[in-house]
Amino acid sequence: MRIAVIGSGSVGTGLAKSWSALGHSVVIGSRSPESERIIDLISEIGNGVTAAGLSESVVGADVIVLAVPWSAAEISIAALGDLADRIVVDATNPFVKGLNLEIGHTDSGGEQVAKWATGAKVVKALNIVDARLLNGRKLESREISIPICGDDSESKEIVADLIAELGFDVIDAGKLEISRLLEPLCLLMIKLSMKKSLGNAIGFRVLRD
Ligand SMILES: NC(=O)c1ccc[n+]([C@@H]2O[C@H](COP(=O)([O-])OP(=O)(O)OC[C@H]3O[C@@H](n4cnc5c(N)ncnc54)[C@H](OP(=O)(O)O)[C@@H]3O)[C@@H](O)[C@H]2O)c1
């Protein structure tokens, strides 16, 4: 698959490394694709990963992953151009001023992303897992669960397969509206990791028979 990962930070880099190692064609969409930092990053990752400006990066991409800070989400989406009918994975969390959720209960970042990316098939995913675990690392010998949600079943299946390939236990949690529950869950994981000193090697897992 051709995957455009928007953002060259922790999440973007982690996904680019892991998916490209599995043979996917990954392009990192960046505000500065020709900067020394990005050139070094691309060379370090290898596996044919390339970098491009935002609008160029999504050309021909089967899946587009939004991995930018919440404060930059709207402007980044606008810079991508027309996203109608495109599969957009929203990995962001709507944090403002540190670890405070800007939206919750009656709306969510995922739903807001769908409004900004007019006509796109938005799938909320990967917002709960620490970027350092995007290589599919198992914890207590178990795969970490990745709940995903979205309104388009076919897109969810494509995204679920891509995430499962990374080594995760993917769970279809329902419609995009479920983002209202997935985003606060990220906050819990971060608080457990940082404030309770559990470290970054913690993951969410749904146990079932
Ligand atoms: N870190 C985690 O463990 C984790 C886990 C799950 C979800 N998330 C969510 O995923 C998103 C990305 O997280 P991250 O940790 O990868 O962030 P990050 O390390 O800060 O990287 C974000 C990237 O977004 C791009 N960007 C575009 N506009 C920007 C702006 N105005 N300011 C800063 N960067 C901008 C930058 O790439 P270019 O300079 O190349 O444009 C930057 O490298 C966030 O919404 C976060 O809440 C993070």
Side-chain angles (χ1 to χ4, degrees):
M1 284 233 163
R2 183 164 174 81
I3 307 168
V5 177
I6 311 304
S8 60
S10 313
V11 173
T13 300
L15 290 174
K17 275 186 188 158
S18 297
W19 274 326
S20 65
L22 290 166
H24 292 289
S25 162
V26 180
V27 54
I28 295 179
S30 168
R31 294 165 299 169
S32 54
E34 281 153 17
S35 65
E36 202 176 315
R37 182 180 75 81
I38 300 289
I39 290 166
D40 288 349
L41 178 68
I42 295 303
S43 130
E44 185 206 318
I45 300 175
N47 299 332
V49 171
T50 58
L54 295 180
S55 61
E56 196 191 328
S57 69
V58 300
V59 175
D62 300 297
V63 172
I64 300 160
V65 183
L66 189 65
V68 299
W70 177 248
S71 56
E74 183 176 9
I75 197 169
S76 303
I77 289 169
L80 297 177
D82 182 10
L83 293 174
D85 293 325
R86 310 293 297 278
I87 301 176
V88 174
V89 177
D90 173 29
T92 70
N93 283 299
F95 293 146
V96 285
K97 295 189 191 108
L99 293 178
N100 296 298
L101 283 171
E102 186 179 56
I103 313 180
H105 303 296
T106 56
D107 198 359
S108 63
E111 290 162 276
Q112 187 57 64
V113 162
K115 284 180 200 137
W116 289 328
T118 313
K121 299 178 225 170
V122 177
V123 179
K124 184 93 201 177
L126 296 164
N127 69 308
I128 293 164
V129 64
D130 189 291
R132 287 162 286 201
L133 302 174
L134 285 172
N135 55 3
R137 179 170 156 196
K138 291 186 174 54
L139 300 174
E140 297 185 1
S141 307
R142 290 193 172 112
E143 294 172 341
I144 294 171
S145 295
I146 305 282
I148 70 169
C149 64
D151 293 338
D152 183 72
S153 306
E154 201 184 322
S155 309
K156 268 196 292 194
E157 274 172 35
I158 291 169
V159 173
D161 286 348
L162 276 177
I163 296 174
E165 270 189 68
L166 295 176
F168 293 114
D169 165 49
V170 186
I171 300 173
D172 181 350
K175 297 279 190 188
L176 191 59
E177 194 180 291
I178 295 292
S179 302
R180 297 173 193 186
L181 305 178
L182 298 188
E183 289 162 8
L185 185 53
C186 168
L187 197 50
L188 172 68
M189 297 304 286
I190 293 175
K191 297 235 174 190
L192 291 177
S193 170
M194 290 165 69
K195 302 274 196 280
K196 293 291 175 187
S197 307
L198 292 183
N200 56 58
I202 62 169
F204 170 81
R205 170 81 196 188
V206 177
L207 298 174
R208 57 232 195 250
D209 274 337

